[in-house]
Amino acid sequence: MSEAVSRSKTTFQKLAILADAAKYDASCASSGSTKRNSMSGKGVGSSEGMGICHAYTPDGRCISLLKVLLTNFCTFDCRYCVNRVSSNVERARFETHELAKLTLDFYKRNYIEGLFLSSGIIRSPDYTMEQIVEVARVLREEHDFRGYIHLKTIPEADPELIKLAGAYADRLSINIELPTEPGLKTLAPEKSGQVIRSAMAHVKYGIDDRADAMKSRIIKKAKPKAFAPAGQSTQMIVGADDARDSDIIVTSRKLYAGYGLRRVYYSAFSPIPDASSSLPPLAPPLLREHRLYQADWMMRFYGYDTEDVISATDGGMLDLDVDPKLSWALKHRAWFPVDVNRAPKERLLRVPGLGPKSVMKILSSRRHGSIGLADLARMRVSLSKVRPFITARDWSPGGLTDTDNLKARFVKPPEQLSLF
């Protein structure tokens, strides 16, 4: 389908096609931005109120975003992508002012509070990036839109265009696509891991430069221009190639350390129409995606390093029966039991069933007296999960920690499915 035919479609028809095409992008987050509103009577929208696509901020607020592609035309032929040039899907394209108007109309009807915009590659990466930036520019400059904007940037585009995108967007994201370079060369030969990482570096430099300028400014009124205040994120596809979970974990850690990412999102491969024979015929278990997120949190919030998490795998793959933190504990029994009344924070965070909030409650409570199982229950701690791994005022696991069938206590027994 040509672009001319696409433009003859109604806005509603385009929205039906391009909102559905955007569903494969998982990195739809809206946290960490600067607060803006129009309570003074100036501008339209807000980035701080309560709320199509839902995302949650760290303080629990729900933000609704219009998640859409500018177009699903694409000159690239990535084998895992439903919008690849060789695909026979129905195509559509928004005009920049058309999409800006749609965003404003949805906001005024209280449907959304922001925009998540991505696109297929049309004509060239630079042209596509110019179109994406233009939507954000129209919203910000012509309509003084103060809601949340997340732009998916094109790695091959000119760095100056990415810099301009950061001036309008709250968050930028650049998809790493696949966890390994061989996988990328096989399934997306037109893309380069080096180019993708270079684009990430440009975004990081922009964020760091603004942070340095904020620290060094002498006069408070001389505020540096904003640049992607909510940072950058990325996404990688899980299960499209033969990369193991350990490969994904290593790649994620390097991305966090090297480019200061806010989040790495994992998206389980979904079989697509007219798929290449090099792709798996079936989707990986969604539980695999979930386990990768749990492993990601272990490294970000629980103090585990990459080697720790990999040591919880079997042959490089995370256990689907139990979460990776519990799997690590079962493989490192010498660490346990942990005394909840004496152990430091770092050791308490290794106990299955104890999260950061529970650990902080324990550290606070034990200043006033010894903690028993009833106290942990009042803190909403799962006693069935922590018992084998802790000692408390009135509890010692004895030989339970080292029993051979300990894992079986945590695995849900198989159930006979009903035919009705």
Side-chain angles (χ1 to χ4, degrees):
M1 180 189 295
S2 68
E3 291 187 37
V5 174
S6 167
R7 287 167 180 161
S8 68
K9 295 179 181 293
T10 67
T11 298
F12 181 80
Q13 290 172 326
K14 294 177 184 178
L15 180 62
I17 295 169
L18 297 175
D20 182 70
K23 68 185 178 184
Y24 298 100
D25 207 313
S27 55
C28 187
S30 60
S31 60
S33 183
T34 53
K35 293 184 178 182
R36 299 182 302 271
N37 60 57
S38 52
M39 293 178 65
S40 64
K42 296 180 180 179
V44 177
S46 167
S47 65
E48 55 183 300
M50 282 196 60
I52 2 205
C53 164
H54 296 287
Y56 291 87
T57 62
D59 58 2
R61 293 180 294 111
C62 177
I63 302 293
S64 301
L65 303 177
L66 171 59
K67 183 179 180 183
V68 70
L69 299 184
L70 180 68
T71 179
N72 64 342
F73 287 99
C74 193
T75 61
F76 285 10
D77 200 24
C78 305
R79 297 179 187 178
Y80 50 80
C81 182
V82 70
N83 298 316
R84 67 195 185 280
V85 68
S86 59
S87 178
N88 60 2
V89 296
E90 187 175 10
R91 308 286 183 172
R93 176 185 173 182
F94 279 118
E95 298 296 327
T96 54
H97 281 75
E98 181 184 21
L99 184 52
K101 183 179 183 301
L102 181 67
T103 302
L104 290 168
D105 288 346
F106 273 25
Y107 173 79
K108 291 173 182 178
R109 288 173 172 81
N110 203 31
Y111 295 164
I112 62 167
E113 288 192 275
L115 172 67
F116 178 95
L117 180 58
S118 185
S119 182
I121 308 297
I122 46 175
R123 301 190 190 178
S124 70
D126 282 351
Y127 175 79
T128 305
M129 196 68 228
E130 286 173 359
Q131 297 292 293
I132 292 173
V133 171
E134 177 63 10
V135 175
R137 187 201 66 79
V138 170
L139 286 169
R140 294 291 196 221
E141 293 186 355
E142 296 185 15
H143 299 281
D144 199 8
F145 181 66
R146 304 187 179 192
Y148 188 89
I149 297 179
H150 182 153
L151 298 182
K152 195 49 86 61
T153 54
I154 311 300
E156 296 81 6
D158 190 294
E160 288 300 313
L161 288 170
I162 295 178
K163 182 179 179 181
L164 191 57
Y168 296 121
D170 292 276
R171 174 170 288 185
L172 298 177
S173 56
I174 301 170
N175 283 357
I176 196 70
E177 305 292 355
L178 293 164
T180 66
E181 194 71 26
L184 194 64
K185 287 181 179 178
T186 300
L187 300 180
E190 294 159 301
K191 294 187 176 180
S192 162
Q194 183 178 354
V195 171
I196 293 171
R197 291 188 294 273
S198 177
M200 287 181 171
H202 283 298
V203 175
K204 182 179 184 297
Y205 295 153
I207 295 171
D208 290 346
D209 284 347
R210 185 181 187 275
D212 291 341
M214 287 290 290
K215 291 177 183 177
S216 62
R217 62 186 177 138
I218 299 174
I219 304 173
K220 289 189 175 181
K221 290 184 179 180
K223 188 175 181 180
K225 291 183 179 180
F227 186 91
Q232 69 168 322
S233 58
T234 193
Q235 173 179 324
M236 67 177 75
I237 300 168
V238 176
D241 60 2
D242 58 1
R244 300 168 299 168
D245 291 339
S246 57
D247 300 322
I248 296 171
I249 290 165
V250 169
T251 298
S252 296
R253 195 60 175 175
K254 289 180 179 177
L255 292 172
Y256 279 123
Y259 304 100
L261 299 186
R262 290 292 182 89
R263 286 290 301 275
V264 173
Y265 290 87
Y266 308 99
S267 179
F269 167 72
S270 179
I272 56 177
D274 304 320
S276 165
S277 60
S278 59
L279 291 171
L282 299 175
L286 282 177
L287 191 55
R288 183 184 177 191
E289 178 186 304
H290 181 59
R291 293 289 183 241
L292 284 166
Y293 277 116
Q294 290 176 321
D296 189 278
W297 277 60
M298 286 171 67
M299 295 186 291
R300 294 169 61 209
F301 302 114
Y302 288 80
Y304 292 79
D305 60 29
T306 310
E307 290 71 25
D308 285 333
V309 180
I310 293 176
S311 72
T313 66
D314 288 312
M317 299 299 291
L318 294 167
D319 193 332
L320 298 183
D321 291 329
V322 296
D323 67 77
K325 185 179 177 184
L326 176 56
S327 182
W328 183 90
L330 292 170
K331 291 174 180 290
H332 298 81
R333 310 242 188 143
W335 268 68
F336 306 99
V338 171
D339 188 344
V340 295
N341 286 295
R342 296 186 178 184
K345 177 182 177 181
E346 293 73 22
R347 289 189 73 88
L348 290 172
L349 283 171
R350 300 265 170 155
V351 176
L354 293 184
K357 290 184 179 179
S358 299
V359 169
M360 294 310 296
K361 289 179 182 178
I362 290 171
L363 294 174
S364 177
S365 297
R366 73 187 191 184
R367 296 189 188 122
H368 308 288
S370 183
I371 295 176
L373 289 182
D375 301 309
L376 293 175
R378 282 191 288 271
M379 298 176 195
R380 305 288 183 93
V381 170
S382 173
L383 297 184
S384 61
K385 198 165 188 178
V386 302
R387 273 194 183 105
F389 303 102
I390 64 165
T391 59
R393 181 186 64 235
D394 54 358
W395 169 255
S396 175
L400 180 60
T401 306
D402 297 317
T403 53
D404 293 335
N405 65 343
L406 182 56
K407 178 181 175 180
R409 296 171 62 96
F410 301 100
V411 177
K412 186 177 180 180
E415 296 179 4
Q416 176 64 51
L417 298 178
S418 172
L419 296 176
F420 307 99

